Amino acid sequence: MRRLKTGSAGVAVAALALTLAACGSDSGDSDSNTDNSESSGSTDLSAELTWWDTSDPDNEAPAYDELIKKFNEEYPDVTIKHEIVPFDQTQNKFKTAAEADSGAPDILRAEVAWTPEFASLGYLYALDGTAALENNFLETPLSSNEFDGKTYGVPQVTDTLGLMYNKALFEKAGLDPEAPPTTWDEVRDAAKALKSEAGVDGIYINSGGYFLLPFLYGEGADLVDTDAQTITVNSPEAVTGIETAQSLVEDGSAVKPTANDPYGTMMTLFKEQKVGMIINGPWEVAGISDDPKFGGIENLGVAPVPAGSAGQGAPVGGHNYVVYSGMDDTKAEAAAAFIAFMSSAESEAFIADELGLLPGNADAYDMVTNERVALWADAMEVAQPRPWIPEGGQFFAALDTMATEVLIQDKPVQGALDKAADTYKSDVVPDYSLQ
């Protein structure tokens, strides 16, 4: 598998063993960090750390428990209390505990949009100068951890959106399964062939705002301009992008999303081979390939999201390891050592092979044998950062409303985006200006 683009923030390591030679550095520059150079390189750390993990308790957590056992072979005096917490409760639960300075975990698996929010509130320990940043992380996933000149976490897993398609249906329609569409116009042409030759629908575009971001990015648009502090979700470029999505539904190239459970409907139709293409992410690969109606992993194709007039672009997602700021330096050093171990190339390759999750460590990709991960190499090349501001997680409610209006209710795109922009101004980023 070919290498993905790496960032300059990581230090390249050819083969970081599943043991750590060092777990500290010369300095830490967070307000809550003090110099930890005296214990730099220590392998005799002693601490008890609680890790709140939002991964699946049955299918994912056991693999992380295996890594914890390996970590303890090198650090027998660092106890990791691995606690599974429900994802939908964790954001508020962590904020409440951190605000009260009572009950917060030492380490948290944070969704990418939570990291800048928690950092802005002073709840995270800056990891600059610690072992946690010594791995070679992909630039785009790492960017979600950077806030106000400091780095507050590292990628645990990453993901993006891609064009997922049915190879057998492509062949039946006379399409080359090794040359999937690269533009939305080519998607339209492929949809016509799938309808006329294979007797199935062309593409299903979920009516969630996140799934429409490739249409914005393809026109060079975004939700906001963080440098200019301007709301851009209703820019002419954004309108063009969303009109492309709407037109695919209007001309029958795309299935009109259902008002009730559009995502679930999309996945059912794709698994039952009733639609040839969808826009989705790596979290669905296992479910698709394991479904007896789909035809196995060999029938699944994955390509980068199609391009608009400005190129290809998909949002980056995933989760980060972050450290609570309210701890002493000894615990912080132990937490950094644990994170360095868990995010090493070998550890992330192990998780990728076991679970099919995409590593945030660039060097892990050379070690991964799981073909489900290899499918996403090209798609990750066009993943781009979202607006990494504390309010970034609040953009999607208004975007979901917009997507429903334009794809299901067929309302004018400009008006729907103007309404989203007004909501951003009133409820999300009031200090930003409207265009």
Side-chain angles (χ1 to χ4, degrees), residues 59-74:
N59 300 317
E60 296 180 338
Y64 293 112
D65 285 333
E66 286 298 311
L67 287 180
I68 291 172
K69 291 178 183 177
K70 294 180 180 180
F71 171 77
N72 282 138
E73 293 174 4
E74 178 68 18

Side-chain angles (χ1 to χ4, degrees), residues 75-430:
Y75 293 95
D77 295 324
V78 178
T79 301
I80 305 296
K81 297 176 62 179
H82 186 193
E83 298 182 2
I84 305 299
V85 290
F87 174 80
D88 60 354
Q89 301 174 21
T90 301
Q91 183 179 16
N92 288 333
K93 186 176 180 180
F94 179 80
K95 288 168 66 176
T96 299
E99 175 67 24
D101 196 23
S102 176
D106 303 297
I107 302 163
L108 174 69
R109 179 183 189 256
E111 201 272 342
V112 289
W114 301 350
T115 306
E117 178 191 8
F118 294 162
S120 73
L121 295 170
Y123 297 159
L124 301 184
Y125 190 99
L127 297 175
D128 306 271
T130 74
L133 293 182
E134 291 179 359
N135 292 316
N136 185 28
F137 298 108
L138 296 168
E139 181 178 359
T140 300
L142 183 64
S143 68
S144 68
N145 295 282
E146 297 165 353
F147 179 77
D148 200 22
K150 299 174 184 177
T151 305
Y152 289 92
V154 302
Q156 183 207 36
V157 296
T158 189
D159 62 53
T160 191
L161 295 175
L163 179 71
M164 305 173 78
Y165 61 97
N166 185 309
K167 291 183 177 181
L169 291 179
F170 264 50
E171 290 181 346
K172 189 175 181 180
L175 302 169
D176 184 354
E178 303 307 319
T182 60
T183 68
W184 296 115
D185 286 340
E186 290 179 5
V187 167
R188 203 183 308 271
D189 292 339
K192 292 178 182 177
L194 286 162
K195 177 74 77 172
S196 62
E197 302 301 325
V200 299
D201 286 312
I203 186 170
Y204 192 115
I205 302 168
N206 181 45
S207 55
Y210 189 77
F211 294 83
L212 294 190
L213 288 178
F215 292 92
L216 268 69
Y217 295 164
E219 299 301 325
D222 207 334
L223 306 179
V224 296
D225 182 334
T226 56
D227 292 331
Q229 293 199 321
T230 302
I231 295 166
T232 60
V233 69
N234 60 336
S235 68
E237 295 81 8
V239 171
T240 297
I242 302 303
E243 284 179 343
T244 297
Q246 187 182 59
S247 71
L248 289 167
V249 174
E250 289 176 339
D251 69 13
S253 300
V255 179
K256 186 173 184 177
T258 57
N260 182 36
D261 192 18
Y263 184 92
T265 301
M266 172 180 70
M267 295 313 303
T268 297
L269 292 176
F270 190 64
K271 291 175 184 178
E272 293 180 349
Q273 303 197 65
K274 295 177 180 178
V275 63
M277 298 174 284
I278 61 173
I279 301 296
N280 214 333
W283 54 86
E284 286 289 359
V285 171
I288 293 168
S289 59
D290 292 344
D291 193 295
K293 296 183 290 293
F294 185 76
I297 188 70
E298 63 274 7
N299 192 36
L300 177 63
V302 177
V305 293
S309 65
Q312 295 167 295
V316 70
H319 294 83
N320 301 321
Y321 290 110
V322 298
V323 176
Y324 174 49
S325 59
M327 63 172 63
D328 61 35
D329 291 327
T330 298
K331 290 191 74 174
E333 185 183 3
F338 177 69
I339 290 173
F341 177 90
M342 297 294 281
S343 60
S344 69
E346 284 81 3
S347 292
E348 292 206 359
F350 170 78
I351 292 298
D353 282 336
E354 289 289 310
L355 305 178
L357 302 177
L358 274 59
N361 187 316
D363 294 331
Y365 285 84
D366 291 332
M367 306 175 186
V368 175
T369 60
N370 190 326
E371 57 186 328
R372 294 173 178 175
V373 174
L375 287 171
W376 289 89
D378 291 337
M380 280 300 300
E381 291 284 357
V382 303
Q384 68 181 62
R386 287 145 53 185
W388 301 130
I389 58 175
E391 302 85 359
Q394 302 175 40
F395 286 128
F396 291 97
L399 210 62
D400 288 344
T401 299
M402 177 277 298
T404 296
E405 290 178 347
V406 301
L407 294 186
I408 297 177
Q409 300 171 3
D410 200 30
K411 291 186 177 181
V413 170
Q414 183 71 68
L417 288 175
D418 286 343
K419 188 163 76 171
D422 289 341
T423 300
Y424 287 178
K425 177 65 176 176
S426 62
D427 298 347
V428 183
V429 283

